[in-house]
Amino acid sequence: MTVAAGALLRDLVDATATLPRAIYTDHRPVAPGHTDVLLTFRTLGDRLPASGGGDGWVPPDGTWAMPAWNSFQEALHVLLTRIPGGPTGERLSSEILGLDPRSVVALADMVRDHRPVRT
């Protein structure tokens, strides 16, 4: 999605409301030195439970004023923003979305805590 310089927050909210179930992954200028920005989203598809489920990990649909970003959402964001593009990334994201929420959190912890092995 491209956001033009001078766009209002309402414009962004209206445009993202038309997207299928997706998560924001990245942004960059449309061109070097340009003020327009390209926002990148990754589709969530139908693998993620639509409401409830996950023992409270996944918020119900229609809850826009969440009191806090929960650990499952944070973990999902960490993993999906690090998945490469292309067919391999699509397969990997599909698998991640089908995992138990506790597994998603554990995988994200491994990605966050990855340190080079000392020799």
Side-chain angles (χ1 to χ4, degrees):
M1 170 185 299
T2 302
V3 179
L8 301 174
L9 178 58
R10 175 93 259 146
D11 299 329
L12 180 60
V13 169
D14 291 344
T16 55
T18 65
L19 294 174
R21 292 167 47 103
I23 187 169
Y24 163 79
T25 58
D26 197 14
H27 69 280
R28 64 178 173 81
V30 172
H34 213 260
T35 54
D36 294 351
V37 177
L38 179 65
L39 303 178
T40 306
F41 294 85
R42 183 177 294 272
T43 182
L44 293 175
D46 295 328
R47 299 282 307 263
L48 193 64
S51 62
D55 296 326
W57 292 87
V58 182
D61 282 346
T63 305
W64 296 102
M66 292 288 297
W69 179 261
N70 67 39
S71 55
F72 171 72
Q73 292 168 312
E74 172 65 20
L76 191 60
H77 179 76
V78 165
L79 293 173
L80 292 178
T81 56
R82 287 169 174 82
I83 291 175
T88 301
E90 289 303 315
R91 284 191 300 275
L92 187 54
S93 65
S94 177
E95 290 301 319
I96 288 171
L97 293 171
L99 290 176
D100 174 73
R102 289 175 197 89
S103 299
V104 173
V105 172
L107 284 171
D109 286 345
M110 290 175 10
V111 168
R112 268 191 228 101
D113 295 338
H114 177 72
R115 294 181 187 91
V117 178
R118 292 183 192 201
T119 57

